[in-house]
């Protein structure tokens, strides 16, 4: 058996083993490429607000938090706040918690999750509405994409393993695609279909030509996706970029004393400080963690690089005292990459151009297992017919031999 035939066998069986998972992950990846944009279209009444003539006057975040907390109920305190600079966007106030025991013991993902999000008009304080995020369409889509909607301890390694196999399939596919001569090359780079071209040939060309053109992008998206499945791969990337593993970690609060109430104007002061230090921010988020007595404040902003830039500021939730920070300029290359991996994976780093590329690469990735299966099935059927055909023509061959003799 030649090396190319051996690679062909490997390509076939790995494709059959991983095809269904790759198809599901790729289809959900298509949907998720424009997740934020589509969400704002489908839930426009929640997300958007009417901009008044004096758009500069927005209510303090502490006042908006009170309105949101009243609407969400008092059983759980707000743990996450998202603030946007766009005048027509509502601010988001989330109650988020896990039942760790229920989550760990369930086969399905999302078990034990409680997640409600209130959308508040920053000008009037009116609550546009509350959404239950546990089974929201895009949240479920992401869960399927990352874990097949089963417990992450089970689903994430399955998805990660299938993604590694997909990378091997792309590389082995390149070997099988490589033309023997100039004549064969003509059919490798462009579709040359005629009215008489059969569907089997078209399917074969779809598999080979589209697979070739998405190869580099497909490998890049796959490698950035494996990060969420395997810690060892994350550490490999850190070592490549930094020479050692310097993981992305925020400073821990040395004061674990938890107070019943946070300072009244803490959020207002933090937001004012971040807006001053990051005037061109895309989003400000405030994340509260009462068990660790921590308020994490972050600003996503433009820094004229391809990295997704974040500045983090850490506060004592009880006293309001800042005890640490992690600024974009102080991060290692690996830490900048880890902060940017999601946007690199989804193409958001390059804006709509990148997201469009990610969408079509994911679409082609979903087509490859389908067209590949059809190629294998067609050859299998053809192989089954050969003995039958030989059986029919064998008597004719023998009779011709007698006549000749």
């Amino acid at each position: 058996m030649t090396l190319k035939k051996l690679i062909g066998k490997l390509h076939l069986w790995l494709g059959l083993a991983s095809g269904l998972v790759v198809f599901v992950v790729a289809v959900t990846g298509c949907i998720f490429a424009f997740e934020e944009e589509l969400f704002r279209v489908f839930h426009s009444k929640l997300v958007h607000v009417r901009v008044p003539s004096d758009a500069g006057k927005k209510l303090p975040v502490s006042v908006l938090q009170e309105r949101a907390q009243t609407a969400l109920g008092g059983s759980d305190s707000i743990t996450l706040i998202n603030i946007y600079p766009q005048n027509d966007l509502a601010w988001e106030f989330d109650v988020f918690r896990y039942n760790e025991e229920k989550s760990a013991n369930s086969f399905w993902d999302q078990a034990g999750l409680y997640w409600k999000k209130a959308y508040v008009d920053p000008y009037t304080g009116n609550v546009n509405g509350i959404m239950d995020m546990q089974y929201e369409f895009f949240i479920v889509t992401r869960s399927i994409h990352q874990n097949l909607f089963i417990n992450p301890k089970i689903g994430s390694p399955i998805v990660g393993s299938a993604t590694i196999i997909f990378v091997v399939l792309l590389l082995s596919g390149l070997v099988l695609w490589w033309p023997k001569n100039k004549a064969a090359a003509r059919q490798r780079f462009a579709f040359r279909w005629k009215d008489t071209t059969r569907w089997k040939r078209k399917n074969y060309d779809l598999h080979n030509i589209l697979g070739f053109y998405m190869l580099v992008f497909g490998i890049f998206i796959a490698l950035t996706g494996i990060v969420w499945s395997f810690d060892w791969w994350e550490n490999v990337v850190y070592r490549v970029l930094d020479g050692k593993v310097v993981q992305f970690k925020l400073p821990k609060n040395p004061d674990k004393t938890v107070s019943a109430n946070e300072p009244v104007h803490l959020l207002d002061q933090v937001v004012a400080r971040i807006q001053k230090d990051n005037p061109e921010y895309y989003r400000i988020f405030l994340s509260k963690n009462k068990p660790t007595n921590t308020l994490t404040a972050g600003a996503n902003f433009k820094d004229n690089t391809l990295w997704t830039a974040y500045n983090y500021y850490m506060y004592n939730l009880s006293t309001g005292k800042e005890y640490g920070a992690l600024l974009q300029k102080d991060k290692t290359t690996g830490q900048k990459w880890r902060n940017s991996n999601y946007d690199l994976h989804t193409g958001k780093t390059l804006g709509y151009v990148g997201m469009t590329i990610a969408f079509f690469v994911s679409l082609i990735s979903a087509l490859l297992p389908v067209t590949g299966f059809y190629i294998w099935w067609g050859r299998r059927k053809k192989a089954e017919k050969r003995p039958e055909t030989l059986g029919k023509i064998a008597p004719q061959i023998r009779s011709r031999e007698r006549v000749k003799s």
Side-chain angles (χ1 to χ4, degrees):
M1 182 180 292
T2 65
L3 178 61
K4 196 165 186 176
K5 285 187 177 180
L6 182 62
I7 292 174
K9 291 286 186 181
L10 179 71
H11 189 83
L12 167 64
W13 292 111
L14 287 179
L16 290 175
S18 65
L20 182 58
V21 176
V22 170
F23 176 80
V24 171
V25 171
V27 168
T28 51
C30 285
I31 298 171
F32 212 74
F34 293 94
E35 172 261 343
E36 186 175 344
E37 291 73 19
L38 290 174
F39 184 92
R40 289 179 177 178
V41 170
F42 295 144
H43 302 289
S44 180
K45 292 183 178 180
L46 283 177
V47 173
H48 292 100
V49 299
R50 184 177 179 181
V51 182
S53 56
D54 188 1
K57 287 188 176 181
K58 296 180 179 179
L59 294 174
V61 66
S62 58
V63 173
L64 299 175
Q65 179 184 231
E66 290 180 7
R67 304 283 179 86
Q69 189 68 70
T70 300
L72 289 164
S75 58
D76 290 288
S77 298
I78 289 170
T79 54
L80 179 64
I81 302 170
N82 285 305
I83 297 171
Y84 300 98
Q86 296 94 322
N87 290 329
D88 65 334
L89 291 181
W91 292 3
E92 302 165 1
F93 295 79
D94 296 33
V95 171
F96 184 95
R97 60 175 165 79
Y98 256 121
N99 182 325
E100 297 288 350
E101 183 177 353
K102 188 174 181 180
S103 175
N105 295 330
S106 175
F107 179 75
W108 302 107
D109 195 13
Q110 309 293 89
L113 172 65
Y114 181 89
W115 186 4
K116 297 288 179 68
K117 186 187 292 285
Y119 293 85
V120 183
D121 187 327
Y123 303 103
T124 65
N126 295 331
V127 178
N128 288 357
I130 296 173
M131 175 169 282
D132 187 343
M133 303 298 290
Q134 182 178 8
Y135 296 114
E136 190 275 325
F137 175 79
F138 290 106
I139 299 298
V140 172
T141 299
R142 182 168 184 173
S143 176
I144 295 172
H145 182 72
Q146 291 186 317
N147 312 313
L148 303 178
F149 203 72
I150 59 180
N151 192 307
K153 292 181 180 180
I154 303 170
S156 185
I158 293 174
V159 170
S161 300
T163 305
I164 293 174
I165 292 174
F166 182 65
V167 173
V168 175
L169 289 171
L170 290 176
L171 295 174
S172 60
L174 178 63
V175 175
L176 299 175
W177 168 91
W178 202 267
K180 293 180 179 179
N181 48 51
K182 291 183 179 180
R186 294 174 185 173
Q187 197 73 21
R188 295 289 197 272
F189 293 100
F191 299 105
R192 300 179 182 276
W193 295 339
K194 302 176 182 178
D195 293 338
T196 56
T197 303
R198 299 178 64 187
W199 165 243
K200 285 186 178 181
R201 180 68 211 192
K202 291 180 178 179
N203 181 75
Y204 183 82
D205 287 347
L206 285 170
H207 189 79
N208 281 274
I209 297 172
L210 293 180
F212 170 75
Y213 283 113
M214 62 77 69
L215 177 71
V216 174
F217 299 104
I219 291 175
F220 180 80
I221 290 176
L223 293 180
T224 52
I226 298 171
V227 170
W228 287 289
S229 293
F230 300 117
D231 291 338
W232 61 263
W233 175 248
E234 181 181 12
N235 292 336
V236 166
V237 181
Y238 273 121
R239 288 192 177 93
V240 170
L241 296 176
D242 290 339
K244 58 182 178 179
V245 178
V246 185
Q247 290 190 345
F248 174 82
K249 289 183 179 180
L250 296 174
K252 293 184 178 180
N253 189 357
D255 181 8
K256 304 297 183 182
T257 305
V258 180
S259 174
N261 298 306
E262 63 192 54
V264 177
H265 298 293
L266 172 61
L267 298 183
D268 302 332
Q269 294 168 355
V270 170
V271 171
R273 183 264 174 95
I274 294 179
Q275 288 175 331
K276 180 181 177 181
D277 291 351
N278 307 272
E280 296 184 2
Y281 70 92
Y282 296 143
R283 177 175 68 99
I284 292 174
F285 71 86
L286 306 168
S287 178
K288 302 178 187 179
N289 190 324
K290 286 192 173 182
T292 61
N293 195 29
T294 300
L295 170 65
T296 303
N300 174 209
F301 64 98
K302 180 66 176 176
D303 72 343
N304 299 318
T305 70
L306 290 178
W307 297 123
T308 301
Y310 281 94
N311 283 337
Y312 295 92
Y313 308 87
M314 313 300 296
Y315 294 88
N316 185 309
L317 190 57
S318 299
T319 65
K321 181 180 178 181
E322 181 180 346
Y323 68 84
L326 179 59
L327 305 182
Q328 183 73 7
K329 64 182 180 63
D330 299 326
K331 297 174 187 173
T332 67
T333 302
Q335 290 172 337
K336 291 177 181 178
W337 154 74
R338 192 61 185 89
N339 244 173
S340 308
N341 191 69
Y342 174 79
D343 287 350
L344 291 169
H345 182 67
T346 57
K348 296 183 186 298
T349 299
L350 298 178
Y352 284 108
V353 173
M355 290 187 286
T356 301
I357 292 173
F359 172 83
F360 282 108
V361 169
S362 297
L363 181 61
I364 294 171
S365 298
L367 287 174
L368 290 178
V370 177
T371 53
F373 179 84
Y374 189 81
I375 291 171
W376 169 74
W377 189 258
R379 289 175 178 175
R380 181 173 173 273
K381 287 295 183 181
K382 186 176 181 180
E384 289 177 354
K385 290 180 180 179
R386 283 174 186 165
E388 180 182 349
T389 304
L390 288 173
K392 291 180 179 179
I393 66 173
Q396 300 175 19
I397 295 173
R398 286 194 292 269
S399 62
R400 287 173 186 169
E401 288 175 350
R402 291 195 194 99
V403 171
K404 287 180 180 180
S405 60

